[in-house]
Amino acid sequence: MALVARALAREADWTPRIAVRYSTPGGASYQDPLEFSPIAVTIDRLISLCGGTRDDVDPDLVLDVHLPRTGATLDAAFLAQIDEDSKAGRPVALADISFEENYATQGAFAEILLQTGRASKLEAYSAWNTAANSVGTALAEAIAAGSGRRRGTYDALAHRTFTFMRFADDVDFHAIVRPRLNRWLDLQGVADHTYLLPDVAAATQTRNRALLWHEAQATLVQLYPGLHIAAMRITLPWNRTFETALDVRLAPNM
């Protein structure tokens, strides 16, 4: 995704200037336990890989990073900064890696974004993943959208579909549906969720499809009320509950 974003920016003759803001003081030194560099090092390398440059003074877009253990007070200040950037016309890409504290924290913050309408104003969103994967996804989406606008090829429906898929996958599945699936499997006497035997996998996939469709529909109403799900294929591609796969088609309401 980062390399595709770089290619798109090059075609648009654009070197994106990107500011970085963290939800906690000293956030630049945060160390993802699954990675080998502080997050600031990872982010600067990803910005470069995407064809951009770091500019905290006069940016084309802002990368906001929501970290674990931010807390209510700092969350309020972080949200206020998002509002300020949006009002100033600065596109905001949000990478939320607070799931490393717990999924409930990530889910609660996403719900604030959805309920207040902030989510629908974001240029990009990504969560539930390592720092590099979440940041790389959010940056790539924002740069792809910005490149499309500059080239006159921007597709608003494609952009919104991608953002919806991130909320449906990163939040609805991981914060809500996945824990329910795991509890259900536990009650069936299936303690190992990393590889499900075929009959168990089929039943789990059916349950996942029903639960996630319901949650995703509710999310779309909050995120983009002018759109509806025209088609959505939901699978568990690796016969485990660690991830789901979505193939989505959205369409405008008539």
Side-chain angles (χ1 to χ4, degrees):
M1 289 178 64
L3 292 174
V4 169
R6 182 188 186 98
L8 293 172
R10 182 180 60 197
E11 288 296 312
D13 194 24
W14 177 41
T15 301
R17 302 187 310 275
I18 301 164
V20 181
R21 299 197 177 110
Y22 301 97
S23 62
T24 62
S29 63
Y30 173 75
Q31 177 75 51
D32 185 320
L34 295 177
E35 295 181 353
F36 56 85
S37 298
I39 194 169
V41 174
T42 299
I43 289 174
D44 284 346
R45 289 174 177 170
L46 280 166
I47 288 173
S48 177
L49 183 62
C50 287
T53 185
R54 179 75 177 267
D55 188 341
D56 292 329
V57 178
D58 184 27
D60 294 318
L61 66 93
V62 178
L63 171 67
D64 282 334
V65 184
H66 188 234
L67 295 168
R69 296 173 291 282
T70 295
T73 300
L74 290 175
D75 267 350
F78 188 61
L79 290 166
Q81 184 62 63
I82 291 175
D83 292 340
E84 183 178 327
D85 287 327
S86 295
K87 290 177 182 176
R90 289 186 289 269
V92 174
L94 175 59
D96 188 348
I97 55 174
S98 62
F99 84 94
E100 291 176 1
E101 180 177 2
N102 57 63
Y103 289 112
T105 298
Q106 175 194 300
F109 190 75
E111 189 59 30
I112 292 172
L113 295 173
L114 290 164
Q115 288 182 351
T116 60
R118 291 183 176 95
S120 61
K121 298 176 183 177
L122 293 174
E123 186 80 340
Y125 176 83
S126 182
W128 182 79
N129 220 312
T130 62
N133 284 331
S134 292
V135 170
T137 298
L139 275 178
E141 180 186 1
I143 291 172
S147 299
R149 291 189 181 96
R150 285 164 172 80
R151 295 185 64 203
T153 58
Y154 175 70
D155 185 332
L157 184 59
H159 188 190
R160 291 181 177 183
T161 299
F162 187 88
T163 302
F164 165 68
M165 289 173 66
R166 295 272 50 82
F167 275 95
D169 192 330
D170 297 354
V171 180
D172 292 333
F173 177 72
H174 286 287
I176 301 172
V177 173
R178 182 181 168 194
R180 292 179 184 173
L181 291 177
N182 288 339
R183 286 194 296 270
W184 177 74
L185 285 168
D186 289 340
L187 291 174
Q188 310 304 309
V190 181
D192 183 0
H193 311 144
T194 58
Y195 181 75
L196 305 176
L197 295 176
D199 57 337
V200 177
T204 306
Q205 181 157 273
T206 297
R207 193 173 188 85
N208 177 54
R209 188 182 302 114
L211 291 171
L212 188 51
W213 188 288
H214 173 76
E215 296 297 335
Q217 281 187 313
T219 290
L220 184 59
V221 170
Q222 292 179 299
L223 184 62
Y224 302 125
L227 300 176
H228 68 273
I229 299 172
M232 182 164 63
R233 183 170 181 262
I234 303 171
T235 59
L236 294 176
W238 301 108
N239 285 352
R240 60 185 185 179
T241 61
F242 190 73
E243 68 277 285
T244 193
L246 301 175
D247 185 8
V248 178
R249 298 293 181 271
L250 300 182
N253 296 338
M254 300 300 292

